[in-house]
Amino acid sequence: MRKCAVLISLLVLVEAPTLASAGRIKSHVGEVTVLRGGQLLPAVPGLAVEQGDIVRTGKTGRVGITFSDNSRMALLPSSSVSIDEFSFDATSIRGTFVTTVHRGKVGFVSGSIAGSKRDSMRVRTPTTLLGVRGTRFLVEVK
Amino acid sequence: MARTKLLGPLALLATLGGCAGGSRVTILPPENGHDIGGVELLDRRGKTLLLDKVGEQATTADPTMLRIKKTSRLQGIVKEVDQSFPPPARAFVITFPAGTNTIPEDQRFIFEQIRNELSKRPGAEIVIQGFTDSSGDSELNDKVSLDRAQAVANQMGEFGFQVDGANVVGRGEREAVLKLGDNVARDTYRRVEVIVR
């Protein structure tokens, strides 16, 4: 049994994490857009958010996003965030989640990724790098 | 320890820095009594700072200064952010007698609860996760947990629920081994969680 556990944990280490959609937009008000590969997509509930996307809110825009690891993000007005890296293996509950807050106010509730391994969830700002250990927090960038 | 792990991306951070303005990080109250693990900050000179208490706030301004204080306007900040967070995922638990993967009749009322929860959430999705206890072979437990999750997905499909195949997962005995140790039989771990988020 112990041998099996070791083998499985080794397999888990080399398993390629899923690169499907990172999350979904759940709620929005005002102007909210998703920039994907040069295209601007208007936000609607259920719209998938993918690695590489940049989510932006206008002056009165707000948006709530839930990710596959059950982490959540809230963008307040005049904010911009890019989803730099997202991978999550739902079987082993491991992955990587890296975002950059370019401007505005963005709230985070961490999920399974942050809880699985130190520094697997990171948030960049123009002046700081955050290693998220697991909590709810707000990032503001002027 | 963590400091050395975070130092790697320092070069990247330096390139991001440029002439940017300041950033501020505030620790918000956790939900449902969850633990606060904290947030570790790293500035462009490699200085680190751990925020791990509610209301703690750090500001970074060019060139690299980190400052920590307790904010006096936490309530206002929480109110402002809370209205934009989606609600937390909600899990509905179905337990199974050993060796079975049919949803017991007396637990089917859960479908109505799930339907009700879905109706309250725009853009909702269903995730189905199967679990076993830690008795038996781990590979077999992977299969059993996935079979149960798939069986629940099929039965929910018959009741009109839409479940994406990629959202059906067998987590095997991993959680049980972590919490109970290996080779422990426990009814409450032999379950499927239907997560609505």
Side-chain angles (χ1 to χ4, degrees), chain A residues 1 8 24 26 62 64 68 70 72 93 118 124-131 133-138 140 142, chain B residues 2 12 17 20 22-26 28-29 31 37-38 40 42 60 80 82 84 86 88 123 125 136 171 182 197:
Chain A
M1 177 60 63
I8 283 181
R24 282 172 191 258
K26 299 298 180 184
R62 291 169 175 270
S68 308
N70 291 333
R72 287 169 288 146
I93 309 293
R118 181 165 283 187
R124 297 165 175 152
T125 78
T127 54
T128 326
L129 178 68
L130 281 61
R133 297 185 183 179
T135 192
R136 204 160 72 114
F137 59 99
L138 174 71
E140 299 168 76
K142 287 180 183 167
Chain B
L12 172 65
S23 314
R24 184 160 62 187
V25 179
T26 308
L28 305 176
E31 293 174 323
E40 188 175 36
L42 170 73
T60 64
E80 189 183 13
D82 265 358
S84 297
E125 62 183 328
R171 296 203 46 219
D182 206 355
R197 67 181 181 209

Side-chain angles (χ1 to χ4, degrees), chain A:
Chain A
M1 177 60 63
R2 205 168 277 170
K3 268 186 183 173
C4 279
V6 170
L7 276 175
I8 283 181
S9 60
L10 283 174
L11 282 174
V12 163
L13 284 175
V14 297
E15 240 170 48
T18 315
L19 283 176
S21 81
R24 282 172 191 258
I25 287 177
K26 299 298 180 184
S27 59
H28 75 98
V29 291
E31 187 194 349
V32 179
T33 54
V34 176
L35 179 63
R36 180 178 304 156
Q39 275 199 313
L40 270 184
L41 310 172
V44 288
L47 178 72
V49 174
E50 299 175 358
Q51 177 177 299
D53 284 354
I54 299 176
V55 185
R56 292 174 180 156
T57 55
K59 281 183 183 171
T60 58
R62 291 169 175 270
V63 63
I65 305 168
T66 299
F67 292 86
S68 308
D69 71 329
N70 291 333
S71 57
R72 287 169 288 146
M73 191 186 278
L75 274 76
L76 275 55
S78 303
S79 300
S80 170
V81 170
S82 56
I83 313 302
D84 304 324
E85 235 185 291
F86 188 94
S87 63
F88 180 57
D89 182 327
T91 300
S92 63
I93 309 293
R94 284 175 183 273
T96 305
F97 188 10
V98 184
T99 54
T100 300
V101 178
H102 301 285
R103 67 164 190 274
K105 297 182 181 181
V106 182
F108 293 85
V109 182
S110 63
S112 304
I113 289 177
S116 68
K117 192 179 161 207
R118 181 165 283 187
D119 295 336
S120 50
M121 181 177 180
R122 301 189 294 278
V123 180
R124 297 165 175 152
T125 78
T127 54
T128 326
L129 178 68
L130 281 61
V132 181
R133 297 185 183 179
T135 192
R136 204 160 72 114
F137 59 99
L138 174 71
V139 177
E140 299 168 76
V141 175
K142 287 180 183 167

